[in-house]
Amino acid sequence: MAQPYLRVEKLVKRFGPFTALSGVDLDVWPGEVHALLGDNGAGKSTLIKTLSGVHQPTEGQIYIEGKPVTFRTPRDAAAAGIGTVYQDLALNPLMSVTRNFFMGRELKGMFGMLKMDEMDKVAHDEMLKIGIDISDPGQAVGTMSGGQRQTLAIARAIHFGAKVLILDEPTSALGQKQQMEVLRTIKTVRERGDIAIIFITHNEIHSKLIADRFTFLSLGEVIGAGTKEELAGDDIRRLMAGGAEIEDLAQMLA
Amino acid sequence: MTGRSEADRLKQESTLMRMVRRPEAGAFIVMIVVIVAITLASDFKAFNALGLKNNMAIIAQFGIIATGAALLMIAGEFDLSIGSMIGFAGMSMAMMLKWGLPFGLGEATPLSAFLITLAMTLTFGWIIGTIVVRSGLSSFIVTLAFLFFLRGLTEVCFRLINQSTQISGLPDFKETSWFADLFGGEVFGWFYDLWFLLGGNAVTRGSRAGEQLVTGFDARLLWWIIIAGLAYFILSRTQIGNWIFATGDNKEAARANGVPVNQVKIGLFMTTAFCATIFAACQVFDTNTADAAKGNLKELEAIAIAVVGGTLMTGGFGSVIGVVFGAVTFGLVANAVFYIPWIDGSFYRVFVGVVLLAAVFANERIRKRITGGI
Ligand SMILES: Nc1ncnc2c1ncn2[C@@H]1O[C@H](COP(=O)(O)OP(=O)(O)OP(=O)(O)O)[C@@H](O)[C@H]1O
Ligand SMILES: [Mg+2]
C-alpha cells in the first residue's frame, strides 16, 4: 500500500462562468472508507461525477495507481475500476434480482441464451458475501427494501470489477435500521481490503461510525482533510457545517 | 437481535399459488371460459374439422401481429402502424405479382415480390424506430402519423398503377411455387388425416360423401407457432430478452448499465413490421387477392390482445404465453358468429371492450404488487 489507488490533484471544474470545484485534492486508499462531506452545493456530486467520467475536468489530473488517466465516458471510468452507485441506483423495479444484477452484462451461452442457473448463483453468492441472504433471486427488485436494493447495487458494482466504490448518499433515503444495514455492508466491503470506498453523506454519526479518512468540501474547495485520528470529534461537526461553529448555527435558529 | 432477517419475510409459496400469480393467469382463465362457452353454444360446431381450421386461421392471424406488438410494448413503445403496414405489404406483393417488378425489372416471382416487400417494410420499421429514439417523441404520435401515411400511400399506389383499390384473380401461386405454398398452403395435414382415419373429418352430404373433408391447417398456423416460439425463447431465455425488459422498465437504468436501449427499440419496430409482412403474405398467397383496406384496425386488436395477455401498458413486463392465450380468446370470439347463428357479430367488439378494461385493471394490480404500490 505504497500509493493510493486513486489520486486527484488540483481538480478544477467550471460550468461556464461558475466554478464548481476549485483545485480539489483527494487520495483514496484500498481497504479504507473515505468520507466526502460538505454542505449542499459544496461540489460533492460534481467531484464524483468527474471521477466516474460523467464530467471532464477543466484542469487538474486524476491518477489510478500512480498513472495519469483521462475518462471520456462513464465506460472508461468503469473499465479503470471506478464503480459508482448513484442515488437512484440504476435498478429496474419490475425485473428480478438476477436480471438486474447482470443487466447489460449477462452471462450467455449458445444463441445468446442466458445461463440463468449460474447467474442466479452468482447474484445470490455476491450478495451473501456483503451480508444479505436473498432467498429467491427471482424476486422482483420492486418488492425489496431500500437497504436490500442498495446492497444489490453495491454487490453488482463489486462483482463487475470496481476497485473504487463510490456511494452517493447511500443512507439518505432509508430508515434507521436499514441505514445500519447499509453501513454494515460498507464495513464488510472494507474488510476485503482491496476496495477503496468513497462515501458521501450529510450524516455526521454515519461518517464517524465507519470512515477512516475524511475530506470536507465547502464552496468547491477542500477546507479540511485527514484521518480519523487526526481529526477531533468537534472538528468534524464544524467542518461539516462548512466551517461555521455550532453555536453560530444555534444563533441562526434563535 | 431477534435473529430474523429481511429474507425470512418472503413466504415460500406453493407451486399452485405461483401459477395463480403469474401474469398469464387471468388470460388463461378467460380463454378457458370462452372455449367452454363457445363449444357449448355452438353445439360443438366451432371445433369440428372445419370449425377448428377456420378458428385456428384467425387465431394465428391475431397471434402473429400481437406477438410483435407485445414485445414492443414490453420495451415501452406502441406501434399504431401495424394495420397500415399489413395493407401496404399486401398491396406491394400483389402489385408486383400482377404488374411486374418496379423499374421494368421483369416478371415477379412470389419470392422476389416477398423479399422486396420485406425490405421496404423493414426499412419503414427502421425509420419509425429511428424517429422515435432520436426525437424522443411518443411512439404513439409517430406511429399514428405512419398509420395515415402508409394507408394513404397504399391507396395512392393502387389507384396510380392499378386504377382500382383491389386486386383479385391472381394466378394460384401456391400450386406452382413452393415459396408461395409456405404462406398460402396447408400444414399439419397428418392431423386431419389421422382424424379421418379415426372416423371423423368426413364429408357428410353430396356426391363426395364419405371422403376426407379437411386436408390441413392454413400455413399461418405454423408461422404463428414459429414466431411465438421464437419470441418466447428470446424474451425469457436470452440476453436480448433481458435488454427488452430493461428498456421498458427504466430506460435510464438500462442505459447506465450498458444496454443498447435505442437499438433494442429500433429492432422491435422492425419486428412489428416483419410480423405485419408475414400476416400480409399469408393473406395474399392464400386468397390470391389484395385490397387497400386490408389490415384496418388490426393494430388496435394487436395491442388489445397484448394487454389481455398481461403486457403492461407502461412497459417492462409481459409474457408471450399470455399473448397466445389472448389470441385464442380473441380469435374464437371474433369467429363465434359463424357457429352460433343467434348471436350478433358486433358482440365481438362489446366483448373486446369489456375484457380489455378488465385486463387493464388486473395488470395494474400486478404492477402495483411488484413495484410495492407506486
Ligand atoms: N451541470 C452543471 N451546470 C452548472 N452548474 C452545476 C452543474 N452541476 C452542478 N452545478 C453547480 O455546482 C455546485 C455544486 O453542486 P453539487 O451537485 O456538486 O453539490 P453537492 O455537494 O453534491 O450538494 P448536495 O449535498 O446538495 O448533493 C452547485 O452550485 C450546482 O448548482
Ligand atoms: Mg449531491
Side-chain angles (χ1 to χ4, degrees):
Chain A
M1 223 169 67
Q3 59 181 6
Y5 182 81
L6 172 85
R7 164 168 228 137
V8 177
E9 269 182 18
K10 308 213 165 39
L11 193 79
V12 175
K13 177 66 195 173
R14 293 196 192 95
F15 297 107
F18 183 81
T19 307
L21 299 172
S22 49
V24 171
D25 296 319
L26 189 73
D27 284 351
V28 187
W29 301 80
E32 281 193 4
V33 175
H34 194 132
L36 190 56
L37 306 159
D39 232 344
N40 293 114
K44 306 180 294 294
S45 295
T46 308
L47 176 58
I48 63 152
K49 279 183 182 158
T50 314
L51 295 180
S52 38
V54 176
H55 297 320
Q56 272 71 58
T58 316
E59 285 164 34
Q61 184 63 53
I62 301 172
Y63 301 89
I64 296 274
E65 294 183 309
K67 288 188 267 314
V69 289
T70 311
F71 302 142
R72 283 196 188 78
T73 63
R75 212 171 259 272
D76 290 350
I82 311 260
T84 312
V85 178
Y86 292 106
Q87 245 174 321
D88 66 7
L89 302 180
L91 292 174
N92 274 336
L94 293 167
M95 293 168 69
S96 72
V97 171
T98 302
R99 282 174 179 272
N100 266 288
F101 194 95
F102 284 94
M103 195 195 330
R105 288 169 290 216
E106 296 82 357
L107 302 180
K108 50 180 182 157
M110 267 188 308
F111 313 117
M113 262 177 85
L114 297 175
K115 295 181 176 165
M116 214 59 199
D117 292 340
E118 197 181 330
M119 285 163 51
D120 277 344
K121 190 168 159 23
V122 171
H124 174 265
D125 293 353
E126 290 287 321
M127 290 186 67
L128 189 59
K129 269 189 218 163
I130 58 171
I132 286 200
D133 188 1
I134 286 289
S135 54
D136 176 15
Q139 186 187 354
V141 163
T143 60
M144 293 182 19
S145 73
Q148 288 177 321
R149 287 183 217 194
Q150 195 80 44
T151 309
L152 169 56
I154 293 173
R156 178 171 70 179
I158 294 174
H159 178 71
F160 289 104
K163 289 285 157 216
V164 180
L165 191 61
I166 302 180
L167 308 172
D168 193 356
E169 303 196 26
T171 52
S172 65
L174 302 177
Q176 282 291 347
K177 187 153 172 289
Q178 296 197 357
Q179 289 179 353
M180 290 307 134
E181 215 166 83
V182 171
L183 293 183
R184 208 171 55 214
T185 303
I186 297 175
K187 219 166 162 189
T188 318
V189 175
R190 179 179 62 180
E191 274 154 21
R192 294 172 44 133
D194 58 340
I195 293 177
I197 301 160
I198 299 179
F199 175 43
I200 298 184
T201 181
H202 284 284
N203 191 314
E204 180 193 350
I205 301 173
H206 290 175
S207 65
K208 279 192 195 161
L209 276 173
I210 56 164
D212 305 292
R213 208 176 278 271
F214 298 80
T215 293
F216 299 89
L217 284 183
S218 177
L219 304 175
E221 280 177 41
V222 177
I223 56 163
T227 59
K228 198 173 187 167
E229 293 75 35
E230 288 162 10
L231 297 159
D234 247 10
D235 251 11
I236 294 182
R237 182 172 303 158
R238 186 177 54 81
L239 290 166
M240 277 192 77
E245 296 293 345
I246 199 76
E247 287 77 36
D248 298 345
L249 298 181
Q251 283 284 307
M252 281 171 67
L253 289 173
Chain B
M1 287 298 272
T2 53
R4 291 187 315 140
S5 80
E6 197 62 38
D8 300 330
R9 293 167 62 183
L10 188 67
K11 205 171 72 206
Q12 284 302 319
E13 295 172 304
S14 66
T15 319
L16 180 71
M17 268 322 284
R18 270 180 183 252
M19 299 286 274
V20 170
R21 287 166 59 130
R22 286 186 63 85
E24 307 89 352
F28 180 74
I29 291 167
V30 173
M31 177 181 79
I32 297 297
V33 169
V34 163
I35 290 177
V36 171
I38 287 187
T39 308
L40 296 180
S42 70
D43 199 12
F44 293 90
K45 278 206 277 298
F47 295 102
N48 65 22
L50 199 58
L52 186 66
K53 177 188 165 94
N54 291 339
N55 276 326
M56 288 321 285
I58 186 159
I59 289 169
Q61 276 195 329
F62 279 145
I64 289 170
I65 49 172
T67 306
L71 291 185
L72 184 63
M73 273 175 71
I74 293 172
E77 303 289 351
F78 283 104
D79 189 353
L80 295 181
S81 71
I82 294 174
S84 299
M85 195 72 84
I86 292 171
F88 175 83
M91 175 279 293
S92 163
M93 279 182 268
M95 202 84 93
M96 282 188 244
L97 291 168
K98 183 172 177 188
W99 299 100
L101 295 173
F103 312 116
L105 288 171
E107 288 271 299
T109 64
L111 178 63
S112 61
F114 174 79
L115 288 182
I116 293 173
T117 302
L118 184 62
M120 286 193 283
T121 51
L122 289 183
T123 307
F124 278 126
W126 181 85
I127 293 173
I128 293 172
T130 306
I131 294 177
V132 169
V133 299
R134 283 285 159 80
S135 68
L137 292 172
S138 148
S139 56
F140 181 85
I141 215 71
V142 174
T143 58
L144 182 63
F146 275 85
L147 177 153
F148 289 112
F149 174 84
L150 286 172
R151 184 67 70 192
L153 187 66
T154 303
E155 288 166 1
V156 168
C157 289
F158 259 126
R159 289 214 192 85
L160 280 184
I161 302 169
N162 192 56
Q163 272 77 50
S164 129
T165 56
Q166 345 183 324
I167 288 177
S168 55
L170 287 172
D172 197 7
F173 288 106
K174 59 181 175 283
E175 298 297 323
T176 54
S177 152
W178 61 269
F179 188 78
D181 192 57
L182 283 183
F183 293 97
E186 291 187 333
V187 292
F188 302 129
W190 54 265
F191 177 85
Y192 278 108
D193 294 345
L194 196 64
W195 194 338
F196 180 62
L197 280 178
L198 293 176
N201 184 22
V203 182
T204 45
R205 278 190 295 266
S207 57
R208 284 179 64 236
E211 288 178 40
Q212 184 168 345
L213 176 65
V214 181
T215 52
F217 288 101
D218 287 354
R220 50 175 72 97
L221 175 60
L222 183 58
W223 281 103
W224 176 44
I225 293 173
I226 293 172
I227 289 174
L230 266 180
Y232 173 79
F233 173 76
I234 290 174
L235 192 63
S236 56
R237 299 258 186 278
T238 70
Q239 179 177 46
I240 296 183
N242 210 39
W243 290 355
I244 293 174
F245 282 123
T247 301
D249 193 344
N250 179 350
K251 198 172 59 183
E252 292 318 317
R255 197 174 268 143
N257 284 291
V259 175
V261 171
N262 289 355
Q263 281 86 329
V264 168
K265 288 193 177 178
I266 294 173
L268 289 175
F269 277 108
M270 293 173 76
T271 304
T272 55
F274 173 81
C275 292
T277 311
I278 298 293
F279 182 111
C282 290
Q283 215 164 41
V284 168
F285 291 116
D286 177 24
T287 62
N288 302 309
T289 62
D291 183 326
K294 279 278 153 66
N296 195 19
L297 289 182
K298 284 284 177 277
E299 62 282 335
L300 298 184
E301 287 176 312
I303 291 171
I305 292 168
V307 170
V308 168
T311 313
L312 284 190
M313 305 283 291
T314 42
F317 197 72
S319 126
V320 174
I321 306 212
V323 174
V324 169
F325 297 154
V328 171
T329 306
F330 274 57
L332 287 178
V333 177
N335 255 0
V337 61
F338 297 113
Y339 308 102
I340 311 170
W342 46 265
I343 211 171
D344 188 304
S346 293
F347 271 122
Y348 166 60
R349 284 193 282 278
V350 174
F351 171 85
V352 167
V354 172
V355 170
L356 188 58
L357 209 54
V360 175
F361 281 117
N363 292 352
E364 185 58 20
R365 281 189 47 168
I366 293 178
R367 193 185 66 79
K368 281 211 178 115
R369 202 185 66 223
I370 301 176
T371 56
I374 13 164

